Amino acid sequence: MTNAKIIDGRALAVELRSEVAQKVAAHDLKPNLAVVLVGNDEASLIYDRNKQKAAQEVGMDCHIYHLEENITEVELLELIDQLNEDVRVNGILVQLPLPKHINTLNILTRISPEKDVDGFNPYNAGLLLNNSPYAVVPATPKGILYMLERVFSDLSGKKAVVIGRSNIVGKPLAALLLNHNCTVTVVHSKTLDTESIVAQADIVIAACGKPKIVTENWIKPGACVIDVGINRINGKICGDVDFDNVQLKAGYITPVPGGVGPMTIAMLLLNTYEAFARQNHFNF
Ligand code: NAP
């Protein structure tokens, strides 16, 4: 058995970020991203600082609004309203998860759809379901599609199984793949006989947050395996896929780290640029 080809998310993300930097440099105005972080979750703080650094590296302005854990929902909604109204701000992103006393859907719904660079506002989710070219596609699914389009010249008719049905990965990804004419099955924690369903797939996308749950027995020889999971075992990061064994059977595979993660940040930058370009009536 030959080893799978590695889909190098890091290298693809470098290319994409340089394309975004070129687009940004073509304008006198700078795209401006507002990142809203509530509380002191260390992982969220690191993610947001990485996003800020990445945005600045492609020539964007990016400010992190770091709020106390005990901020009320009303106060957070007021900040969103201010950012919606501020013409200097092109993109708004609220880091999830929010503290339990805040209703996440209320917050995401309040972000103006044209500034919703995460694509989590239900309006954008609805546009995606309708296969509208105006939908803001969430960054992780958008990055995954970009990688799949590098592997397959035509996704039409491919059997895709998405493992996980979250609002930020599984569901939008399933919609996106349907829009690209894949035959899509979504499995989740209540699915019976997940293994035999996954074993029929040409494309497997693991987004369930269960370390190394996808083993080689789940994989059809030659399948393309995209690993979204970010888990830690004894401090070491691993995905939802048992990489060492699955890569002996798959045709293509993404590593963790260095696969979907870097693509997510690159696509967030692209979404921010696209929001900026739409708001200023530039072609993109
Ligand atoms: P989530 O909200 O926790 O959702 C996990 C999903 O997986 C749920 O739909 C759950 O089913 C399903 N699931 C749980 N156990 C399962 C099992 N044994 N078999 C099949 N499905 C199962 O997670 P998320 O936010 O989508 O994130 C998923 C993973 O991706 C996490 O590791 C996260 O850190 C990572 N992630 C990475 C990136 C990136 O850029 N690389 C971006 C986002 C997320 P139920 O709905 O039935 O509970």
Side-chain angles (χ1 to χ4, degrees):
M1 268 188 285
T2 53
N3 289 7
K5 291 201 174 78
I6 306 291
I7 307 173
D8 186 346
R10 232 174 238 144
L12 290 175
V14 167
E15 276 175 29
L16 252 168
R17 282 157 73 148
S18 124
E19 284 169 25
V20 175
Q22 281 174 31
K23 290 174 199 268
V24 170
H27 305 286
D28 294 333
L29 277 172
K30 280 183 175 188
N32 183 324
L33 174 64
V35 175
V36 179
L37 170 65
V38 181
N40 290 309
D41 177 67
E42 202 160 325
S44 296
L45 198 56
I46 292 170
Y47 286 146
D48 286 347
R49 288 208 181 116
N50 286 342
K51 287 172 193 165
Q52 184 181 43
K53 189 164 163 271
Q56 289 168 343
E57 278 171 6
V58 296
M60 298 181 182
D61 284 327
C62 177
H63 183 73
I64 300 177
Y65 294 80
H66 192 171
L67 310 169
E68 299 288 336
E69 175 87 22
N70 61 2
I71 188 173
T72 65
E73 188 173 315
V74 170
E75 287 169 323
L76 184 52
L77 287 169
E78 279 168 8
L79 172 63
I80 302 291
D81 288 342
Q82 279 169 30
L83 295 171
N84 282 339
E85 280 158 27
D86 188 339
V87 289
R88 291 165 303 181
V89 173
N90 305 110
I92 304 169
L93 172 168
V94 176
Q95 181 64 43
L96 301 181
L98 287 167
K100 294 216 175 344
H101 66 277
I102 295 176
N103 181 315
T104 301
L105 188 56
N106 288 348
I107 302 300
L108 297 179
T109 306
R110 192 71 152 248
I111 298 171
S112 157
E114 56 275 16
K115 295 191 179 185
D116 171 36
V117 288
D118 260 340
F120 297 158
N121 181 306
Y123 182 80
N124 277 313
L127 289 180
L128 176 61
L129 282 178
N130 281 281
N131 199 7
S132 161
Y134 300 106
V136 178
V137 178
T140 302
K142 189 165 172 164
I144 292 169
L145 179 69
Y146 187 90
M147 292 196 284
L148 290 175
E149 286 183 326
R150 291 295 178 108
V151 171
F152 299 100
S153 53
D154 186 8
L155 286 169
S156 194
K158 295 278 180 275
K159 285 186 193 153
V161 173
V162 179
I163 308 173
R165 57 173 165 179
S166 72
N167 290 333
I168 63 172
V169 187
K171 283 183 201 160
L173 180 62
L176 193 60
L177 294 175
L178 267 181
N179 292 345
H180 284 78
N181 298 320
C182 288
T183 301
V184 182
T185 306
V186 180
V187 298
H188 47 78
S189 71
K190 306 292 186 289
T191 300
L192 305 178
D193 205 8
T194 295
E195 178 176 333
S196 72
I197 297 170
V198 176
Q200 295 173 33
D202 306 307
I203 297 167
V204 178
I205 296 135
C208 58
K210 300 285 172 226
K212 301 188 184 184
I213 192 175
V214 178
T215 61
E216 72 275 21
N217 302 333
W218 295 30
I219 300 300
K220 179 165 101 175
C224 176
V225 180
I226 308 283
D227 191 354
V228 185
I230 303 176
N231 312 289
R232 271 175 207 276
I233 299 182
N234 299 328
K236 201 170 167 232
I237 290 183
C238 71
D240 292 347
V241 174
D242 178 7
F243 182 90
D244 291 345
N245 293 310
V246 169
Q247 57 100 18
L248 297 172
K249 203 165 172 193
Y252 296 86
I253 192 166
T254 61
V256 176
V260 175
M263 291 302 293
T264 296
I265 295 204
M267 285 303 179
L268 169 69
L269 300 176
L270 184 58
N271 278 352
T272 304
Y273 175 76
E274 289 175 355
F276 162 81
R278 277 202 184 104
Q279 288 157 34
N280 288 288
H281 309 288
F282 299 140
N283 290 328
F284 63 91

